[in-house]
């Protein structure tokens, strides 16, 4: 209500809408009136007065967060606009939204929507206000919005969705992430080394990273991350390497000489020669290893490289924790390659600068809540601990080391973690329900078990 300008209080329609927590014009936090919608006769008119509209007693904590306020004001503005200019024309909203998100890069195949990416992106945009708008953001509504609308959606959804669309159109995706191509091949053994001859690219979105996998017709495959300055990761040398190794071994060259000629490390030469079953002048890999393990070498290397691409800020030690088998195999049989293809101190410094902590923090906070919910659904009940959460996220000890950079995640962590007592209580409730389900009499000794 506004006493100052008119001398009399009144209700503003635009302040009464669901999801509207701030004034659309000023962004100031709105105070709750003492009038509840559920009270008495719904047709009764209650005038706004000093008694039922006390001034804001204490500002909510989000009022000092520009990000939350900006988002809330955007929601308020759009809601008010919807009141002033309700859409007059019928629109096939499902088709309209579907086309809009596909235009913004959420396409999968020709006409489908990448639903998981879309949901994550919407959640991540509204994450700062998720808890402030009860019922506004939960559920799977983004998925339903881009399908045929079989029922009307709450107007708030038609407020939120266009906000998301506007934010997206101003972002990237106007250009393909790696440009138009063709892209260079880095196969030193090919005549076209360094030339733009690659036409085949597969782009993968991993959280906020965009990774391209480039496959040349010569069989050489490498991957690269958008915005990364480090050299591309070689995933496959292709058949040219085999031919050359065969040829050089036949010429009688030694291990170092072959490696030097091919400009690759001796470990790689040794492995591929062994895989090809060549009769080499150097000490071959132990037979028991070569038979069972060498065929897997490429797969092991690929997993090691992939993990680095996905988690560019992990140290070698952390990678080893995530891929213990791969690491110990590489350490024993492929050490030189491992040294060359692991994060070094220098590499790590670079990567740290590239990490967009804010985005990472936001998406990790969302993941944490999700994973915590998953843990509480496990049977028999598992306690929600930091270790359990991090294990599920596949990022051991990552959070504690980065506390300062992940304020949101640490906050969520504090919220979702269970004390021993809370967990005991939940277990008892579960056990009791379980006994009921099995129709066993609830005796205290059964619960305790
Ligand atoms: Zn090539």
């Amino acid at each position: 209500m506004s006493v100052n300008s008119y001398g009399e209080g009144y209700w503003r329609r635009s302040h009464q809408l669901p999801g509207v927590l701030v004034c659309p014009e000023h962004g100031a936090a709105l105070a709750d009136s003492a009038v509840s919608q559920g009270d008495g006769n719904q047709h009764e008119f209650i005038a706004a007065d000093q008694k039922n509209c006390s001034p804001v007693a204490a500002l909510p904590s989000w009022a000092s967060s520009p990000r939350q306020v900006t988002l809330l004001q955007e929601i308020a503005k759009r809601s008010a606009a919807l009141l002033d200019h309700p859409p007059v024309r019928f629109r096939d909203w499902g088709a309209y939204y579907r086309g809009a998100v596909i235009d913004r890069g959420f396409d999968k195949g020709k006409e489908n929507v990448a639903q998981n990416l879309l949901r994550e992106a919407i959640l991540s945009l509204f994450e700062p206000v998720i808890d402030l708008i009860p019922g506004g953001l939960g559920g799977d509504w983004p998925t339903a919005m881009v399908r045929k609308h079989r029922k009307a959606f709450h107007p708030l959804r038609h407020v939120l969705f266009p906000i998301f669309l506007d934010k997206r159109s101003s972002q990237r995706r106007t250009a393909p992430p790696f440009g138009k191509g063709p892209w260079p091949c880095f196969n030193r053994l090919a005549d076209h080394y360094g030339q733009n001859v690659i036409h085949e690219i597969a782009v993968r979105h991993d959280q906020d990273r965009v990774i391209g996998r480039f496959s040349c017709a010569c069989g050489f495959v490498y991957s690269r991350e958008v915005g990364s300055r480090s050299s591309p990761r070689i995933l496959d040398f292709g058949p040219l390497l085999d031919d050359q190794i065969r040829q050089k071994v036949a010429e009688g060259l030694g291990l170092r000489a072959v490696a030097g000629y091919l400009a690759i490390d001796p470990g790689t030469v040794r492995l591929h020669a062994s895989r090809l079953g060549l009769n080499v002048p150097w000490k071959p890999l132990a037979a028991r290893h070569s038979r069972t393990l060498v065929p897997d070498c490429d797969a092991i290397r690929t997993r090691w490289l992939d993990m680095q691409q996905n988690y560019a800020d992990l140290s070698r030690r952390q990678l080893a924790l995530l891929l213990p088998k791969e690491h110990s195999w590489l350490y024993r049989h492929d050490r030189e390659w491992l040294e060359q293809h692991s994060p070094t101190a220098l590499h790590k410094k670079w990567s740290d600068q590239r990490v967009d902590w804010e985005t990472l923090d936001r998406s990790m906070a969302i993941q944490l809540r999700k994973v915590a919910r998953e843990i509480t659904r496990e049977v028999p009940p598992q306690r929600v601990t930091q270790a359990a959460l991090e294990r599920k996220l596949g990022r051991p000890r990552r959070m504690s080391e980065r506390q300062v950079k992940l304020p949101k995640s640490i906050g969520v962590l504090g919220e979702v973690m269970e004390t021993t007592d809370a967990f005991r209580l939940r277990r008892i409730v579960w056990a009791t329900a379980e006994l009921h389900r099995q129709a066993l009499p609830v005796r205290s000794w059964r619960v305790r078990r």
Side-chain angles (χ1 to χ4, degrees), residues 184-187 190-193 195 197-198 215-220 240:
C185 175
F186 299 109
N187 189 351
D191 311 331
H192 55 255
Y193 170 75
Q195 293 175 26
V197 292
I198 297 185
S215 315
C216 185
C218 70
F220 190 83
L240 283 181

Side-chain angles (χ1 to χ4, degrees), residues 189 239-249 261-262:
L189 305 175
L240 283 181
L241 183 77
D242 293 354
D243 294 348
Q244 291 287 330
I245 291 180
R246 254 196 213 102
Q247 195 182 323
K248 293 299 150 190
V249 168
Y261 176 83
L262 299 173

Side-chain angles (χ1 to χ4, degrees), residues 249-399:
V249 168
E251 285 172 20
L253 263 64
L255 178 62
R256 301 264 154 200
V258 176
Y261 176 83
L262 299 173
I264 55 177
D265 60 287
T268 307
V269 174
R270 195 196 290 273
L271 273 155
H272 285 273
S274 174
R275 180 172 55 81
L276 294 168
L278 300 181
N279 194 3
V280 291
W282 56 80
K283 189 168 157 268
L285 284 171
R288 71 195 161 90
H289 288 139
S290 54
R291 191 171 315 122
T292 55
L293 291 168
V294 165
D296 279 348
C297 164
D298 286 334
I300 293 173
R301 285 179 165 192
T302 305
R303 283 202 292 277
W304 183 252
L305 292 176
D306 260 1
M307 190 61 89
Q308 284 181 66
Q309 287 280 12
N310 292 342
Y311 302 102
D313 60 326
L314 291 190
S315 68
R316 172 167 163 184
R317 195 176 49 82
Q318 291 168 316
L319 285 167
L321 283 172
L322 291 174
L323 295 172
K325 274 190 203 140
E326 284 80 355
H327 181 259
S328 69
W329 189 88
L330 290 167
Y331 187 80
R332 263 182 286 139
H333 308 289
D334 205 3
R335 194 172 309 175
E336 240 170 304
W337 183 91
L338 180 67
E339 300 297 338
Q340 286 170 8
H341 298 85
S342 295
T344 60
L346 181 72
H347 176 105
K348 223 172 100 46
K349 237 185 213 159
W350 271 24
S351 318
D352 265 4
Q353 288 167 358
R354 281 187 292 135
V355 173
D356 174 359
W357 286 104
E358 206 188 312
T359 311
L360 185 72
D361 189 17
R362 210 177 329 134
S363 84
M364 199 191 273
I366 296 174
Q367 292 289 323
L368 271 172
R369 277 190 210 280
K370 203 162 90 189
V371 167
R373 275 197 298 274
E374 281 171 24
I375 296 177
T376 56
R377 277 199 291 264
E378 264 167 35
V379 174
Q382 301 295 319
R383 187 176 153 207
V384 185
T385 59
Q386 179 167 355
L389 290 164
E390 294 192 335
R391 209 167 31 243
K392 279 224 158 200
L393 283 176
R395 296 170 178 185
R397 270 179 290 167
R398 187 174 158 111
M399 266 175 288

